[in-house]
Amino acid sequence: MKNNINYEKKLEFELDFLKNSQKKPKLLLHVCCGPCFTIPYEIIKEYFDLTLFFNNSNIYPKNEHDRRLDELKKYMSEVCPNVPLITTEYNNDLYNIDLEPRANDKEGHERCRICFKKRLSEGFEYASKHGFDYYGTVMTISRYKNAQDINQIGEELQKKYPTIKWLYADFKKNNGYEKSLLIIKEHKMYLQEYCGCKYSFEAYKNKPKNAKIDL
């Protein structure tokens, strides 16, 4: 059985290295929603020249996609109004072509890994074309997203983009998820009750009324 890698420690090592940098490197950070951005931003904000990348055509339906984007913009206006935000065109039907063959997968299995890879690939391509030094994602803040899978996908994709350094992280560690809930409450943020895709949305609709599907 393969031992899990401590990606929290890898992030700490990278940030320690960057403390002595004469210039902040440019980081393109994939963001899926405002709540997931909270703690990652607090951890990395002093180390990078940051730009956010919202490419989340996986989110279904469109009004949910737009609500999460609006909530992110609202939070950014309160804590980091000068950080640029890049958004991509929404096309859920096109996005789901690659996911549909795995429609019956349970949450957290191969369909999710395909989804991670699609969005992270888009981000790497954008980062490469626009001169970024690093690329990363906030998704590891979630207790329901596998940080091993996400970082291994990022590491593998990095090989195609030698000028971009993947930012290893596991933002849920050190009570990151629990700390994020305090910020969400303080800023009265909308906290979604399902992951985002139409498959998780259907599962959410079929859950008992008093059951929540968390981040």
Side-chain angles (χ1 to χ4, degrees):
M1 182 176 178
K2 187 177 180 180
N3 291 329
N4 285 346
I5 296 172
N6 189 330
Y7 290 111
E8 180 195 21
K9 290 296 183 184
K10 288 179 75 74
L11 176 62
E12 290 177 0
F13 179 84
E14 194 68 29
L15 298 183
D16 282 342
F17 170 76
L18 292 174
K19 283 180 181 178
N20 299 319
S21 297
Q22 297 298 314
K23 182 180 178 181
K24 290 183 178 180
K26 293 175 62 178
L27 166 65
L28 183 69
L29 184 67
H30 164 256
V31 181
C32 52
C33 63
C36 287
F37 175 56
T38 53
I39 288 301
Y41 176 65
E42 292 301 315
I43 292 173
I44 67 174
K45 63 183 179 181
E46 300 299 327
Y47 300 92
F48 295 100
D49 177 4
L50 182 62
T51 296
L52 304 191
F53 193 60
F54 190 89
N55 63 316
N56 299 293
S57 283
N58 61 302
I59 300 174
Y60 177 88
K62 188 177 186 302
N63 62 356
E64 178 69 19
H65 169 276
D66 294 347
R67 185 175 186 181
R68 296 188 192 189
L69 177 57
D70 289 343
E71 194 67 23
L72 172 63
K73 289 178 178 178
K74 175 178 174 290
Y75 182 65
M76 290 178 66
S77 72
E78 296 170 1
V79 301
C80 56
N82 296 321
V83 171
L85 171 64
I86 308 299
T87 60
T88 60
E89 184 177 356
Y90 178 79
N91 192 331
N92 184 255
D93 289 338
L94 179 62
Y95 188 90
N96 286 333
I97 289 175
D98 293 329
L99 303 185
E100 197 62 36
R102 308 299 305 220
N104 294 324
D105 282 5
K106 291 184 178 180
E107 194 84 11
H109 289 73
E110 185 60 25
R111 188 186 65 238
C112 293
R113 287 188 281 271
I114 294 170
C115 185
F116 298 154
K117 188 172 182 178
K118 283 174 68 68
R119 284 183 286 165
L120 295 182
S121 294
E122 292 172 2
F124 262 112
E125 184 174 357
Y126 186 94
S128 179
K129 289 180 178 178
H130 293 85
F132 284 88
D133 304 298
Y134 283 80
Y135 175 59
T137 180
V138 304
M139 288 193 291
T140 59
I141 187 70
S142 170
R143 296 180 299 172
Y144 297 92
K145 291 183 175 63
N146 189 314
Q148 300 296 312
D149 285 348
I150 291 169
N151 282 288
Q152 287 164 14
I153 290 168
E155 182 176 31
E156 186 64 28
L157 289 171
Q158 179 183 247
K159 296 174 184 177
K160 296 172 57 178
Y161 301 93
T163 63
I164 310 298
K165 192 169 186 178
W166 170 251
L167 185 68
Y168 294 101
D170 190 352
F171 291 115
K172 73 174 69 63
K173 296 294 187 180
N174 193 28
N175 296 317
Y177 177 79
E178 291 75 15
K179 292 173 184 176
S180 74
L181 295 179
L182 298 177
I183 298 175
I184 291 164
K185 183 177 181 180
E186 177 186 355
H187 288 265
K188 299 178 181 178
M189 300 174 71
Y190 163 63
L191 181 60
Q192 61 269 17
E193 294 187 351
Y194 66 100
C195 177
C197 70
K198 73 175 186 178
Y199 312 102
S200 63
F201 178 65
E202 291 300 321
Y204 163 69
K205 287 198 304 182
N206 292 326
K207 284 282 184 179
K209 291 289 185 181
N210 60 347
K212 290 184 69 175
I213 297 178
D214 234 326
L215 285 177

